[in-house]
Amino acid sequence: MPAPAAPSVLVVDDEENIAYLVSSALRLAGMRVTTAAGGDEALEAAARLHPDAVVLDVMLPDLDGFEVLRRLRAGGIHAPVLFLTARTDTADRVRGLTSGGDDYITKPFALEELVARVHVALRRAGTAAAPSARHRVHDLELDEDQHRVWRGETEVHLTATEFSLLRLLLVNAGRVVTRAQILDHVWQYDFAGETAIIESFVSTLRKKVDATGPKLVHTVRGVGYTVREPG
C-alpha cells in the first residue's frame, strides 16, 4: 500500500521570519507547507491547493484574518483555521472562534505547541499527519526516528544541537537559512547568545558531514547557510 500523502498546510503571515519559523516547524513534522504574505494571496493559494489546514495571521496588510476566513468559507474551503495573532483581547478570541476559526494562538508562542495544535486540528478533520522520518541530499541522509546521520555508508555522529541544525538545513535544502532563523529555530526564542555561536556549530558540522564527500554545507556570505547538491 502506498503511504498516504502528507497533509498540506497554508501558512499566512506577513512577517517573513514568523512565516519561515512556522513553515519549517510544520515541515519537520511531516507536512507540506505553502506560505502567503497577505489575504488576497492566501485566498488564491487556498482556491488552488485546497489545504488540509490554515494557520492564519489576523493582522495582514490587505484583508484581516477574519475577512479571509469568511471568504474561505464562502468559497467552499472548510479546512480547519488556526488564528495566529498578537491580539490578546478576549473579544478578539471570541470573534475568532465564533466566526468559524478552530483555534486562536497568540504571539509569542512555542513552535512545539503550534505544531501540536495543528496536529489536533488535522485529527479532528480526519487528516492525520504522516511522519517525516528521513531527509536526504546527495549521499547525506538524516533519519529522525533513529536520530542517526550517514554520509554514504559512513555514519556521522552528531550532538543533539548539531542534529537539530542539520535537520533544519536539510528540510530547507536549496534555500538559504539566515542566522537569525537558525537561532530562533534551533535555540528557540529564549536564547540570548550571539550569532558567532552558529559559526562555531556550522564549522564543526561541516567538518563531520563534508569529511568523506563533496561539499554540501555552504556559507552564503552576509546571509546564512544552506545545504545543496554538489555542483
Side-chain angles (χ1 to χ4, degrees), residues 9-170:
V9 181
L10 175 62
V11 174
V12 187
D13 199 307
D14 63 323
E15 295 184 59
E16 183 179 352
N17 200 47
I18 295 294
Y20 176 86
L21 288 170
V22 171
S23 60
S24 293
L26 293 173
R27 288 189 183 103
L28 287 171
M31 304 177 204
R32 294 174 291 126
V33 182
T34 301
T35 60
D40 288 328
E41 184 182 351
L43 292 169
E44 186 278 329
R48 174 169 44 88
L49 300 171
H50 290 274
D52 296 307
V54 181
V55 177
L56 177 61
D57 189 17
V58 172
M59 301 175 69
L60 296 170
D62 44 11
L63 308 172
D64 71 24
F66 301 127
E67 177 61 17
V68 172
L69 174 59
R70 187 190 70 78
R71 297 192 189 187
L72 286 173
R73 298 299 188 238
I77 303 295
H78 299 293
V81 171
L82 297 86
F83 283 114
L84 183 63
T85 178
R87 295 182 180 179
T88 58
D89 292 344
T90 300
D92 286 321
R93 287 177 176 268
V94 171
R95 183 183 178 189
L97 296 173
T98 58
S99 63
D102 296 84
D103 206 344
Y104 198 97
I105 304 167
T106 57
K107 302 175 183 178
F109 55 89
L111 288 171
E112 294 86 351
E113 179 183 0
L114 184 145
V115 172
R117 291 193 182 193
V118 172
H119 274 297
V120 169
L122 289 168
R123 283 199 299 271
R124 287 174 178 168
T127 307
S132 176
R134 292 205 172 208
H135 307 284
R136 183 183 182 93
V137 171
H138 191 54
D139 61 346
L140 174 62
E141 187 167 10
L142 179 148
D143 189 304
E144 293 195 44
D145 291 341
Q146 300 184 59
H147 213 271
R148 298 170 70 184
V149 174
W150 297 268
R151 185 68 197 263
E153 299 298 322
T154 303
E155 183 166 2
V156 181
H157 299 284
L158 303 179
T159 67
T161 300
E162 291 165 355
F163 186 90
S164 296
L165 174 58
L166 180 60
R167 181 176 61 176
L168 177 63
L169 294 173
L170 284 173

Side-chain angles (χ1 to χ4, degrees), residues 16-17 20 168 176-183 198 223-225:
E16 183 179 352
N17 200 47
Y20 176 86
L168 177 63
V176 179
V177 183
T178 69
R179 292 175 177 84
Q181 289 165 343
I182 291 172
L183 279 176
I198 299 175
V223 182
Y225 304 93

